[in-house]
Amino acid sequence: MGSTRGKPLPLGFVFRSRAKEEKAPAAVKAPVTDSKQPRDPQAPKGRPTPKRSEARSQRRSVANTPMTRKEAARRQREERRIALERQRQALAGGDERYLPARDKGPVRRFARDFVDSRFNIAEFFLPVAVIILVLSTVPSPALKNLSLLLWLVVIVLIVLDSAVTGFRLRKRLAERFPNENRRGAVAYALMRSLQMRRLRLPKPQVKRGERP
């Protein structure tokens, strides 16, 4: 025992033991964790899928990202174009959801149907006006007098017919919609009666003679 302590250790043994001690910590591998959490395909490799709350906050931040003035103007133009297209289709088909504000509501719809279901003298005003204009250009005094007389007759008939239409429509609206706002509905209907049936917007949804 004593003789062993007195002998010096070999150099190879000393250096070999030190080298093993220095390499030992590096040789220890990090523990491998088996994570069963699915990875988001858009997430960087090696990172787990973000939580639902985190994903929502990310989408909200993207949605709230301020746009440039050019992008905002382009989006407004696109939204306006879509709204006008829906409005045009609604005017042709009568879809209440996309009609202009002046045409919306059951009161305005009834007023349109009331006018469209009958013949109105006012709707023939434009064709008669063209005929009167042509007669007034003829150099014959008799035809000029005829055109003036025809003009007066048409005006009187339109006024009488509009008065009767307005009176009947006001009565029907009071019976049909006692609790609704009927303001402006009669004037709205009379303005519609001045237009030719094929040119009216929204398009007529009832036939002539059909009771609305």
Side-chain angles (χ1 to χ4, degrees):
M1 242 358 234
S3 61
T4 306
R5 289 182 180 177
K7 293 181 181 181
L9 294 176
L11 294 177
F13 176 79
V14 175
F15 290 115
R16 183 177 57 188
S17 60
R18 288 184 179 179
K20 288 181 180 181
E21 291 175 358
E22 292 176 355
K23 292 181 180 180
V28 178
K29 295 183 179 179
V32 179
T33 58
D34 185 11
S35 177
K36 295 182 179 180
Q37 185 178 5
R39 188 180 68 83
D40 186 5
Q42 296 182 354
K45 293 183 178 180
R47 296 184 183 179
T49 305
K51 296 181 180 180
R52 183 176 299 178
S53 58
E54 295 177 356
R56 288 179 179 175
S57 62
Q58 291 176 1
R59 288 195 298 267
R60 192 177 296 111
S61 62
V62 172
N64 295 333
T65 302
M67 296 182 297
T68 62
R69 184 178 299 179
K70 187 176 181 180
E71 292 174 349
R74 183 171 65 251
R75 176 172 292 185
Q76 290 179 357
R77 287 195 301 269
E78 182 65 19
E79 292 176 353
R80 191 181 302 112
R81 186 190 65 80
I82 294 175
L84 290 176
E85 179 62 22
R86 287 178 176 175
Q87 189 177 105
R88 186 188 65 81
Q89 295 177 0
L91 289 173
D95 192 346
E96 288 281 343
R97 294 176 300 174
Y98 304 113
L99 284 176
R102 66 182 182 86
D103 298 314
K104 282 186 177 180
V107 175
R108 295 300 174 97
R109 182 180 181 87
F110 182 85
R112 293 196 301 270
D113 293 343
F114 185 87
V115 171
D116 297 336
S117 64
R118 61 193 301 273
F119 283 95
N120 303 277
I121 298 177
E123 66 182 287
F124 303 104
F125 173 75
L126 288 178
V128 173
V130 173
I131 295 174
I132 293 175
L133 181 61
V134 172
L135 291 176
S136 63
T137 58
V138 178
S140 173
L143 292 179
K144 287 185 178 181
N145 292 332
L146 180 61
S147 64
L148 291 176
L149 180 61
L150 185 60
W151 180 261
L152 292 176
V153 170
V154 169
I155 293 298
V156 171
L157 290 177
I158 289 176
V159 171
L160 292 176
D161 184 63
S162 299
V164 174
T165 301
F167 175 78
R168 291 180 177 177
L169 177 59
R170 187 177 287 105
K171 183 178 179 181
R172 292 288 302 277
L173 288 174
E175 295 173 354
R176 193 77 169 264
F177 307 98
N179 300 322
E180 297 285 342
N181 183 13
R182 305 184 299 272
R183 184 177 181 180
V186 175
Y188 170 78
L190 294 179
M191 290 297 297
R192 184 177 178 85
S193 67
L194 291 172
Q195 302 171 352
M196 298 179 66
R197 182 181 174 87
R198 68 180 62 183
L199 301 179
R200 293 172 183 171
L201 291 175
K203 294 290 186 182
Q205 302 296 315
V206 296
K207 298 179 181 180
R208 292 189 189 274
E210 184 178 352
R211 187 179 179 85

